[in-house]
C-alpha cells in the first residue's frame, strides 16, 4: 500500500539526503512540499526539478490532505517542535530532522503527543545507515576482534574560518556520531566531557572529545574543525585484534540539477583493514568490504512501523538520551578554565 508523505522545508537536507533516496521507493510518494513564501524569493527555479511534487506556501494544504500520512520536518531546529506538534495534531506521523528538538523536555512532549494520538514521531537519525558505520557494526558483530576495549569515532574537518563564537558543532556534527554509538551500546556507565573552543573560549564548541565508559570498554567521540590531515573515521581495538576504517564520505552530487544517488559499495581502495588473531592463534590481516550507504533504509523501517505497528528504528529513549548529552556538552563548553 502506497504511503503518501509531505515535507516541510526545502533545504540541503531535503534535496541531498531525503529526495534522492525516496526516488528509489515505489511504495513511498512525496506528494507535496511546504515552503514559507519568504524562503521562495529568488529560489523557485529548483522546484522545477521536481515536477511530480506539488509545492505550496499554505501549510494547510498538507495538514488537511487526508492522503498524506507522514510529514517530514526538515527546517531549522527552532521550529521543529512547532511543526511536529502541528502535524501530530492533524493526524500525521512525523519524521523530524536532527537534532529532534532543542531540549529533551520538548522532545518528550512530542513523543507523548504522538502516543496519545496513536501516531509515530521519530528522529531522522539517517547516519546510522552510513556505509562506514554499517561496516563497523559488521566487524564488531563478527566477533573477530574479541572483547572490544576501545572505539574512536571521528568527524573532523579543517575549516578554521568557521571556528567562531557560537555553539553548533555538537548539534550539527557530533550528534551523528553520538547517536551511532548509542544505537549500538545504549546508556553509558559514565561520560566524561572535554568540549571547548580553541577560538572563542566559553563561547563556542569547536573542539569535542567525549569519553563514554561501558564496563571496561571506552568509546571516544571526537569532532573538530581544526584537523588538517585526514584521520581514520573509526579505530577499534579488541583483545584479539584491531580495525581501522576511513570515512566513506557523502554521495557525489550530480551537477547542478536534481541530486541522484547510486546505492553501491565504495571502491576497494577505501575498504577498512582488520588485523586479528583467530582461535587457533593464527594472525590475519584482511581488507573488509564496505557496506553501501543507503539513507532510504530508515524510510523502509519507518514504513514497517507505520503499517505493521512494529518498533521504530530510532527509539524515543535514544533520542532523549542524545539530547541530554548534547545539553551537557554545551554546558561543559561554557566553562572556561
Amino acid at each position: 500500500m502506497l504511503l503518501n508523505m509531505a515535507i516541510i522545508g526545502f533545504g540541503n537536507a531535503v534535496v541531498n539526503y531525503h529526495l534522492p533516496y525516496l526516488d528509489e521507493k515505489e511504495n513511498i510518494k512525496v506528494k507535496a512540499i511546504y515552503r514559507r513564501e519568504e524562503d521562495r524569493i529568488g529560489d523557485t527555479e529548483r522546484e522545477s526539478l521536481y515536477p511530480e511534487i506539488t509545492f505550496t506556501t499554505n501549510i494547510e494544504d498538507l495538514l488537511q490532505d487526508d492522503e498524506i500520512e507522514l510529514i517530514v520536518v526538515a527546517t531549522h531546529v527552532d521550529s521543529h517542535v512547532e511543526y511536529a506538534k502541528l502535524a501530530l495534531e492533524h493526524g500525521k506521523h512525523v519524521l523530524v530532522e536532527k537534532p529532534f528538538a532543542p531540549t529533551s523536555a520538548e522532545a518528550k512532549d512530542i513523543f507523548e503527543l504522538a502516543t496519545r494520538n496513536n501516531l509515530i514521531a521519530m528522529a531522522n537519525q539517517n547516519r546510522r545507515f552510513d556505509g562506514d558505520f554499517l561496516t563497523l557494526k559488521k566487524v564488531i558483530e563478527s566477533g573477530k576482534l574479541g572483547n572490544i576495549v576501545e572505539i574512536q569515532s571521528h568527524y573532523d574537518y579543517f575549516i578554521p574560518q568557521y571556528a567562531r563564537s557560537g555553539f553548533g558543532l555538537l548539534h550539527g556534527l557530533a550528534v551523528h556520531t553520538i547517536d551511532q554509538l548509542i544505537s549500538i551500546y545504549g546508556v553509558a556507565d559514565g561520560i566524561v566531557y572535554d568540549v571547548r573552543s580553541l577560538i572563542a573560549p566559553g563561547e563556542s564548541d569547536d573542539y569535542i572529545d567525549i569519553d563514554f565508559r561501558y564496563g571496561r570498554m571506552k568509546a571516544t567521540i571526537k569532532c573538530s574543525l581544526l584537523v588538517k590531515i585526514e584521520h581514520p573515521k573509526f579505530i577499534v581495538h579488541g583483545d584479539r585484534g584491531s580495525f581501522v576504517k576511513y570515512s566513506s564520505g557523502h554521495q557525489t552530487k550530480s551537477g547542478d540539477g536534481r541530486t541522484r544517488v547510486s546505492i553501491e559499495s565504495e571502491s576497494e581502495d577505501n575498504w577498512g583493514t582488520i588485523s586479528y588473531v583467530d582461535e587457533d592463534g593464527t594472525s590475519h590481516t584482511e581488507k573488509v568490504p564496505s557496506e553501501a550507504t543507503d539513507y532510504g533504509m530508515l524510510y523502509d523501517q519507518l514504513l514497517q512501523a507505520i503499517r505493521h505497528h512494529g518498533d521504530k528504528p530510532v527509539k524515543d529513549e535514544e533520542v532523549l538520551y542524545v539530547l541530554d548529552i548534547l545539553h551537557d556538552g554545551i554546558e561543559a563548553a561554557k566553562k572556561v578554565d
Side-chain angles (χ1 to χ4, degrees):
M1 180 178 176
L2 180 68
L3 175 76
N4 283 291
M5 58 171 282
I7 301 175
I8 299 176
F10 190 53
N12 174 67
V14 173
V15 299
N16 290 320
Y17 304 114
H18 286 273
L19 294 178
Y21 295 92
L22 288 165
D23 280 344
E24 308 294 321
K25 306 299 175 187
E26 295 182 355
N27 51 359
I28 302 176
K29 174 187 175 183
V30 180
K31 185 177 182 182
I33 290 179
Y34 164 75
R35 304 181 72 192
R36 299 180 305 175
E37 187 63 56
E38 57 265 37
D39 294 332
R40 297 183 72 245
I41 297 174
D43 185 38
T44 58
E45 186 176 342
R46 290 187 303 135
E47 296 176 6
S48 65
L49 298 172
Y50 304 90
E52 76 281 12
I53 299 175
T54 298
F55 287 83
T56 179
T57 57
N58 183 359
I59 197 168
E60 291 297 321
D61 291 341
L62 277 56
L63 301 175
Q64 301 301 329
D65 189 333
D66 292 336
E67 289 188 348
I68 293 174
E69 298 181 65
L70 169 68
I71 291 181
V72 174
V73 179
T75 57
H76 192 272
V77 65
D78 59 9
S79 59
H80 284 184
V81 173
E82 173 189 359
Y83 284 132
K85 287 185 174 180
L86 196 60
L88 291 167
E89 288 164 353
H90 285 80
K92 316 295 186 185
H93 302 287
V94 289
L95 177 66
V96 184
E97 268 298 342
K98 63 276 177 190
F100 185 81
T103 66
S104 61
E106 291 169 291
K108 189 176 181 181
D109 286 343
I110 295 173
F111 291 137
E112 289 176 349
L113 176 60
T115 299
R116 288 197 300 271
N117 290 347
N118 197 30
L119 295 165
I120 286 177
M122 195 181 81
N124 182 50
Q125 292 292 3
N126 59 334
R127 303 302 294 274
R128 295 186 184 190
F129 302 97
D130 278 347
D132 46 29
F133 179 64
L134 293 175
T135 306
L136 168 75
K137 288 180 65 179
K138 178 174 68 174
V139 168
I140 292 175
E141 292 166 1
S142 74
K144 291 180 178 179
L145 300 182
N147 297 308
I148 306 300
V149 297
E150 182 179 8
I151 297 175
Q152 294 180 32
S153 174
H154 286 251
Y155 200 159
D156 302 318
Y157 289 102
F158 186 70
I159 318 176
Q161 65 271 26
Y162 284 173
R164 56 183 182 270
S165 179
F167 299 97
L169 199 61
L170 269 165
H171 285 79
L173 293 184
V175 61
H176 302 306
T177 46
I178 292 171
D179 174 75
Q180 289 175 343
L181 175 66
I182 300 309
S183 74
I184 298 177
Y185 290 104
V187 176
D189 297 325
I191 304 177
V192 178
Y193 296 87
D194 182 2
V195 182
R196 48 198 164 95
S197 175
L198 303 178
I199 304 298
E203 300 176 8
S204 185
D205 60 342
D206 57 59
Y207 177 85
I208 296 165
D209 187 329
I210 306 177
D211 287 341
F212 295 78
R213 295 300 181 96
Y214 295 91
R216 292 189 301 155
M217 194 269 279
K218 181 180 78 168
T220 301
I221 300 294
K222 291 182 69 70
C223 190
S224 173
L225 297 179
L226 298 175
V227 176
K228 185 65 171 65
I229 295 177
E230 184 182 10
H231 194 282
K233 175 72 173 180
F234 297 113
I235 300 174
V236 185
H237 301 300
D239 58 12
R240 283 172 47 190
S242 299
F243 172 69
V244 174
K245 173 74 177 77
Y246 282 82
S247 173
S248 296
H250 296 302
Q251 83 280 357
T252 301
K253 296 180 177 61
S254 50
D256 296 327
R258 181 167 176 158
T259 300
R260 305 285 186 181
V261 294
S262 179
I263 300 172
E264 56 188 23
S265 179
E266 63 188 340
S267 60
E268 187 173 350
D269 59 6
N270 199 46
W271 287 0
T273 300
I274 186 172
S275 183
Y276 65 99
V277 177
D278 65 22
E279 294 178 350
D280 296 325
T282 303
S283 182
H284 304 263
T285 298
E286 307 164 349
K287 286 290 188 179
V288 180
S290 295
E291 299 296 304
T293 295
D294 182 5
Y295 300 146
M297 293 171 67
L298 182 139
Y299 274 100
D300 292 337
Q301 294 181 17
L302 176 58
L303 180 60
Q304 285 296 310
I306 291 173
R307 289 283 179 259
H308 304 291
H309 307 288
D311 291 336
K312 294 187 291 186
V314 182
K315 308 293 190 298
D316 296 356
E317 59 268 23
E318 294 171 339
V319 176
L320 298 175
Y321 187 46
V322 169
L323 287 172
D324 283 338
I325 292 169
L326 297 178
H327 171 271
D328 292 346
I330 292 293
E331 292 304 304
K334 290 178 181 178
K335 299 175 182 178
V336 182
D337 294 332

